[in-house]
Amino acid sequence: MSDTVTTPPRRKHYLNVDYGIKSWLLTQDHKRIAILYLISITFFFIIGGVMAALIRVELATPLGDLVEADTYNRLFTAHGVLMVFLFLIPSIPAVLGNFLIPLMIGAKDLAFPKLNLGSWYVYNLGALLMVAALLRGGTDTGWTFYTPYSSTFADSEVILTALGAFVVGFSSIMTGLNFIVTIHRMRAPGLTWFRLPLFVWAHYGTSLIQVLGTPVVAIAILLVAAERLLHIGIFDPALGGDPVLFQHLFWFYSHPAVYIMILPSMGVISELIAAFSRKRIFGYKFVAFSSLAIAVLGFLVWGHHLFVSSQSIYAGLIFSVLSMLVAVPSAVKVFNWTATLYQGSISWQTPMIYALGFIGLFVIGGLTGTMLATLGIDMHVHDTYFVVAHFHYIMVGGAIMGYLGGLHFWWPKITGRMYSVFWSKIAAGLIFVGFNLTFFPQFLLGYMGMPRRYHAYPEEFQILNVLSSAGATILGLGYLLPLIYLFWSMRYGERAGDNPWGAYGLEWETSSPPPTLNFDEPPVVTTEAYDYLSLREKKLA
Amino acid sequence: MSEYITPIRTYLAVFLALMALTTITVAVAFLELGPFNDIAAMGIAITKACLVVLYFMHVRHSSRLTKMVVVAGFLWLFILIAFIMSDYLTRGMISLQGPIG
């Protein structure tokens, strides 16, 4: 490339300040730790994706002709466990949050850099346990580890996998704690709470869930281990326990965990919508508080996973009503993003395509969520593909669209290079189309009564299943493309400049890639967030 | 921020109180109080936990923000227990016998 000949004198930044494996493995720089996380979660996303591909190949025909029923159980369990614990939960917080929060608040690093690095090691330790379980034959309980099957009957690597989830949970707590303290204590002078980017608010809400919820699932997992190993009666009725207690303890964390996945994504979408509409987010304070409302209300709804267990119908009624309430702050966000678009100066850059895709898919995922929160409908579609479709619209259509949108938005900041705009738009389109083709038919299948977690099905379901598998192929291709062109861009991409999008925010005021201590001069904030109006006036002047 | 330094005397007093409460717990276990056995045991346990949190964990002289974090932790524990009990305590309230059962 010709630009390598005319490169200006090398500026020191976080990527070239030091070389060698040790400088990475012992780094305390939040930006480098974010890259370490990026590598780890991408690895597990690929493994989890291969599991999904095998599931979709199996389901292309009604007969169980690729894998046996037992292998299929282990496949979907591995897919769920890897994707939830090793990819989705750390995805945006540990990669984008880690990289951006100190930059966005004008700090040199997170409050506890060593704890941050420690969290990555703890994550990998947990991941190692899960991989060991996988290599020893895997687990067949589903990612939910329901008792009494998991505690009494399952003849697979339940304890090893659950222990992995237990350990990974601590890395999540460490990240959350670090963010809370950082956001409280390390904001630049002048950066009041209501001047914070909404990305930071969303991560604050997420961190609260991580700190308050994760210990409960850790305890639930320990209790399963205690019952399996020591035969202490907690969940097994024969020992005087109650199996539904496990579901309560599990979902007390795992339902809010869905908000650990989606809230940071919502934070990303707020940044993208503002940047590519050139407008301040409509109703900034409402959007900021809606993140906290989702975080708090998210803790009061877990019983909607237990409607057809032996949970009391009265408790079901309460959980049903409370579940509907979460729709309110979620809708506040969607309406406010839409209102921000109104009369905005919209540009169709790749991250914006992801943001708009997110809004559409999240609305479908959210509205089908309120359907599922309705007691009567849930009786009909519980444990069917309707549920599978619903949560993939939230976790894949919502969380991953936000993650990819954010990765494309801040990639020039992270690497200093620009990727191929053409290919990135093709990939975004493929992902949107492929995603809908994969998961929309599953709504229909579920409504028609196809249960989840079976490797064979009646013939009348084949057409929709083939459509779904075809969609998964397109989706897979859509995910493969960014992997290629983002890698390519690190070496061959054009130099991006400090603020290629003309976006507003402290992270765009420093150079790309940023120096190790983020800012050459400590920033002082004098304006509101997303003050695009003054940016435009400055340009005109 | 000036940090409050707890005198050793206070630590010793709290330690003695914890020991005394432990002794009382054991003693109460030998009395026949019916349902009050559980109430007494739980009451003493909560008192001991409060002493540990307030003095050994320095919450008593910490900032209001720290106190709020502590309260939030207990509030969340309360939510967990209260909502689970909303299930357990109302399960018997519906009978499947009758016209539909």
Side-chain angles (χ1 to χ4, degrees):
Chain A
M1 297 293 285
S2 59
D3 66 340
T4 51
V5 182
T6 55
T7 312
R10 287 168 75 86
R11 184 180 61 78
K12 282 281 178 204
H13 51 74
Y14 83 102
L15 287 171
N16 68 7
V17 70
D18 212 345
Y19 292 97
I21 192 87
K22 210 174 129 191
S23 76
W24 282 88
L25 293 181
L26 296 179
T27 183
Q28 290 175 30
D29 183 347
H30 65 102
K31 299 182 287 302
R32 284 193 165 206
I33 297 169
I35 302 283
L36 292 176
Y37 263 115
L38 177 65
I39 295 166
S40 299
I41 69 162
T42 306
F43 175 74
F44 287 109
F45 178 71
I46 294 170
I47 310 268
V50 170
M51 305 285 175
L54 288 171
I55 290 170
R56 280 322 316 170
V57 173
E58 167 59 57
L59 292 176
T61 62
L63 296 174
D65 32 24
L66 180 70
V67 293
E68 311 243 321
D70 183 49
T71 317
Y72 185 80
N73 291 346
R74 288 163 199 254
L75 262 181
F76 72 69
T77 303
H79 168 69
V81 166
L82 294 184
M83 286 302 201
V84 169
F85 293 111
L86 299 184
F87 176 72
L88 282 164
I89 289 179
S91 62
I92 298 182
V95 177
L96 297 176
N98 223 337
F99 195 96
L100 291 162
I101 286 177
L103 285 168
M104 284 181 166
I105 65 170
K108 289 178 184 167
D109 205 314
L110 287 174
F112 308 115
K114 284 181 189 158
L115 189 74
N116 194 16
L117 180 66
S119 84
W120 181 70
Y121 280 102
V122 170
Y123 166 91
N124 282 306
L125 179 69
L128 213 61
L129 290 169
M130 288 182 180
V131 170
L134 210 58
L135 294 176
R136 289 168 59 94
T139 314
D140 64 343
T141 58
W143 79 278
T144 46
F145 307 113
Y146 270 16
T147 57
Y149 184 69
S150 65
S151 57
T152 312
F153 303 105
D155 183 23
S156 58
E157 293 296 334
V158 179
I159 292 187
L160 211 49
T161 309
L163 198 64
F166 175 80
V167 173
V168 171
F170 282 94
S171 105
S172 183
I173 295 173
M174 288 173 175
T175 304
L177 194 68
N178 222 338
F179 285 176
I180 291 177
V181 178
T182 306
I183 296 168
H184 269 278
R185 314 281 306 186
M186 297 178 67
R187 301 191 309 276
L191 188 56
T192 57
W193 281 90
F194 290 118
R195 283 178 177 175
L196 283 174
L198 290 163
F199 180 88
V200 179
W201 273 97
H203 274 78
Y204 188 78
T206 308
S207 304
L208 289 180
I209 304 174
Q210 286 175 313
V211 171
L212 289 167
T214 319
V216 177
V217 78
I219 292 163
I221 288 170
L222 279 189
L223 290 175
V224 170
E227 185 165 286
R228 252 184 104 94
L229 298 173
L230 309 170
H231 305 288
I232 299 169
I234 296 155
F235 306 120
D236 182 4
L239 299 170
D242 181 279
V244 179
L245 179 63
F246 175 80
Q247 297 185 29
H248 277 298
L249 295 175
F250 178 82
W251 287 113
F252 180 81
Y253 163 74
S254 294
H255 189 80
V258 176
Y259 300 111
I260 296 181
M261 304 171 206
I262 197 75
L263 266 176
S265 197
M266 291 168 155
V268 170
I269 301 305
S270 293
E271 300 300 314
L272 302 187
I273 296 279
F276 295 108
S277 309
R278 290 285 182 268
K279 268 178 76 182
R280 182 175 159 81
I281 289 285
F282 179 82
Y284 167 94
K285 280 189 185 174
F286 277 88
V287 179
F289 279 122
S290 67
S291 287
L292 296 189
I294 289 173
V296 173
L297 287 175
F299 272 103
L300 310 178
V301 303
W302 80 81
H304 65 220
H305 295 270
L306 282 70
F307 285 163
V308 296
S309 70
S310 63
Q311 178 180 249
S312 138
I313 191 166
Y314 299 104
L317 206 63
I318 296 170
F319 281 121
S320 174
V321 172
L322 288 170
S323 303
M324 300 288 173
L325 284 184
V326 185
V328 177
S330 309
V332 164
K333 283 187 190 287
V334 170
F335 286 129
N336 285 19
W337 290 326
T338 319
T340 309
L341 293 172
Y342 178 66
Q343 290 196 335
S345 168
I346 293 170
S347 54
W348 296 92
Q349 303 285 0
T350 312
M352 185 61 160
I353 297 175
Y354 280 106
L356 296 176
F358 171 98
I359 295 180
L361 299 181
F362 174 72
V363 166
I364 297 177
L367 288 179
T368 50
T370 55
M371 285 172 77
L372 286 166
T374 314
L375 280 161
I377 298 178
D378 190 69
M379 297 289 157
H380 175 61
V381 293
H382 181 85
D383 257 349
T384 68
Y385 265 86
F386 193 88
V387 177
V388 176
H390 154 70
F391 73 71
H392 279 90
Y393 264 79
I394 297 289
M395 293 181 185
V396 185
I400 299 187
M401 291 294 273
Y403 170 68
L404 287 176
L407 203 60
H408 282 83
F409 185 52
W410 285 293
W411 189 257
K413 181 55 61 183
I414 296 171
T415 62
R417 304 279 183 152
M418 196 64 196
Y419 45 81
S420 155
V421 172
F422 173 77
W423 283 109
S424 65
K425 285 185 180 175
I426 296 277
L430 282 178
I431 288 172
F432 186 78
V433 172
F435 173 82
N436 280 300
L437 190 56
T438 310
F439 292 105
F440 200 83
Q442 296 185 7
F443 277 126
L444 306 178
L445 282 167
Y447 214 78
M448 287 156 67
M450 180 169 163
R452 64 194 281 205
R453 295 181 168 173
Y454 283 88
H455 77 317
Y457 55 83
E459 270 180 25
E460 67 255 36
F461 294 143
Q462 190 174 10
I463 293 179
L464 288 168
N465 268 300
V466 167
L467 282 177
S468 180
S469 294
T473 317
I474 300 174
L475 187 60
L477 187 65
Y479 286 146
L480 200 62
L481 279 177
L483 206 63
I484 298 168
Y485 64 70
L486 289 180
F487 250 121
W488 182 89
S489 77
M490 289 199 302
R491 190 166 174 81
Y492 303 108
E494 271 178 45
R495 286 184 194 281
D498 294 346
N499 189 0
W501 314 112
Y504 196 88
L506 283 182
E507 80 270 31
W508 299 109
E509 287 179 19
T510 186
S511 45
S512 301
T516 300
L517 294 179
N518 293 344
F519 299 94
D520 296 329
E521 296 279 319
V524 177
V525 179
T526 52
T527 52
E528 304 301 308
Y530 316 114
D531 195 5
Y532 283 100
L533 202 64
S534 74
L535 210 65
R536 201 183 310 170
E537 280 164 3
K538 249 187 239 167
K539 257 187 202 162
L540 290 175
Chain B
M1 212 170 72
S2 66
E3 203 145 292
Y4 179 85
I5 296 170
T6 315
I8 305 264
R9 232 182 23 249
T10 315
Y11 283 130
L12 274 175
V14 172
F15 175 72
L16 290 176
L18 289 173
M19 286 297 127
L21 286 167
T22 309
T23 318
I24 296 172
T25 313
V26 177
V28 168
F30 288 102
L31 299 175
E32 279 297 332
L33 297 174
F36 289 101
N37 273 107
D38 289 344
I39 295 173
M42 287 305 287
I44 296 170
I46 291 170
T47 313
K48 284 164 72 180
C50 287
L51 285 175
V52 171
V53 170
L54 287 175
Y55 292 97
F56 288 171
M57 295 174 81
H58 303 169
V59 171
R60 184 157 177 230
H61 297 285
S62 295
S63 67
R64 280 205 298 211
L65 185 63
T66 309
K67 283 179 184 151
M68 206 173 90
V69 171
V70 174
V71 171
F74 285 104
L75 184 68
W76 254 249
L77 183 66
F78 170 77
I79 292 173
L80 173 70
I81 294 170
F83 276 64
I84 290 180
M85 292 319 282
S86 83
D87 169 19
Y88 284 99
L89 296 179
T90 57
R91 271 191 203 175
M93 285 166 64
I94 191 158
S95 163
L96 286 180
Q97 284 163 0
I100 55 157

